[in-house]
Amino acid sequence: MSDIICITNRKLCRGDFLTRIERIAAAHPRAIVLREKDLPKSEYSVLAAEVMRICGRYGTPCILHSFYRTAAALGAERIHLPLQALRELTDKDREHFAVIGASCHSVEDAQEAERLGAAYITLGHIFATDCKRGLAPRGLGLLGEVCGAVEIPVYAIGGISPDNVASVRAAGASGACIMSGLMTCDDPENYLRGVETHEI
């Protein structure tokens, strides 16, 4: 099974967004996280329903992001949340989801997310990335610390590419999240395979 999670960004997407989602889903990453946080809830809901249908056709897990009540209304089984939103989830909210993930940026964040019931976390940003221009990357040292501090899977995010993905695995991560590469590459399947198989 792939250890790469696709994070979407329709503003970076080259070509039609849903066509690219279909090509990525067909390549079977670990999951696709629909991250379009700038959309109003109503528009996110419409897009999420389409992406869930596409992912369902290929058996690729679809993880909705941030809008947990919208996700529940759509019958989504998976949600990814900023840590603050995870803190605010009620027991009733949690009942809707089989898998809850959280975005973390420190050892303390990761340990709190684990205590709050997260099934996995993303940790970033690990490497320099245009998405976080001007912000220093947190680096492989922190990634290793976090992986050693929690029992749940940790997925590195931020600046991940075929050239450095092996180093995040070596630091103890369960895998990595990729946004820009999968949104802009010519061939998502080949790109994904290249990231999955790259070794030190």
Side-chain angles (χ1 to χ4, degrees):
M1 178 184 287
S2 176
D3 64 353
I4 301 300
I5 296 174
C6 169
I7 310 291
T8 73
N9 185 333
R10 72 193 189 289
K11 293 182 177 179
L12 292 178
C13 181
R14 186 177 297 170
D16 179 72
F17 180 68
L18 290 178
T19 298
R20 181 162 292 264
I21 291 297
E22 182 147 17
R23 293 184 69 190
I24 294 169
H28 299 290
R30 173 63 61 107
I32 295 175
V33 177
L34 185 66
R35 188 182 178 271
E36 313 298 321
K37 294 194 296 183
D38 64 299
L39 285 177
K41 289 180 183 179
S42 58
E43 292 181 32
Y44 184 89
S45 179
V46 172
L47 182 62
E50 289 289 339
V51 172
M52 288 171 66
R53 277 194 286 272
I54 291 169
C55 288
R57 285 203 295 270
Y58 295 95
T60 296
C62 178
I63 303 175
L64 300 190
H65 195 289
S66 293
F67 301 115
Y68 56 87
R69 292 198 175 96
T70 299
L74 289 170
E77 295 181 348
R78 303 170 184 87
I79 188 74
H80 187 92
L81 299 170
L83 185 56
Q84 182 58 42
L86 178 60
R87 292 177 183 133
E88 296 168 359
L89 274 192
T90 66
D91 289 342
K92 187 173 182 180
D93 291 327
R94 292 169 186 273
E95 289 174 0
H96 295 286
F97 304 108
V99 175
I100 300 173
S103 299
C104 297
H105 303 95
S106 68
V107 170
E108 293 75 21
D109 283 359
Q111 291 173 327
E112 181 180 1
E114 185 173 44
R115 286 195 303 272
L116 291 172
Y120 72 91
I121 64 166
T122 60
L123 182 78
H125 62 292
I126 301 304
F127 302 109
T129 171
D130 285 344
C131 296
K132 301 286 185 180
R133 189 170 292 174
L135 293 177
R138 292 183 168 88
L140 292 168
L142 177 62
L143 179 61
E145 287 182 49
V146 169
C147 291
V150 297
E151 298 296 325
I152 56 178
V154 178
Y155 290 86
I157 191 169
I160 310 296
S161 73
D163 294 331
N164 60 32
V165 68
S167 63
V168 307
R169 295 180 180 123
S174 295
C177 303
I178 294 180
M179 178 191 291
S180 301
L182 284 168
M183 290 291 102
T184 62
C185 65
D186 291 331
D187 186 333
E189 183 174 12
N190 282 345
Y191 186 91
L192 187 62
R193 296 294 167 258
V195 179
E196 288 170 345
T197 58
H198 200 279
E199 297 178 355
I200 295 174

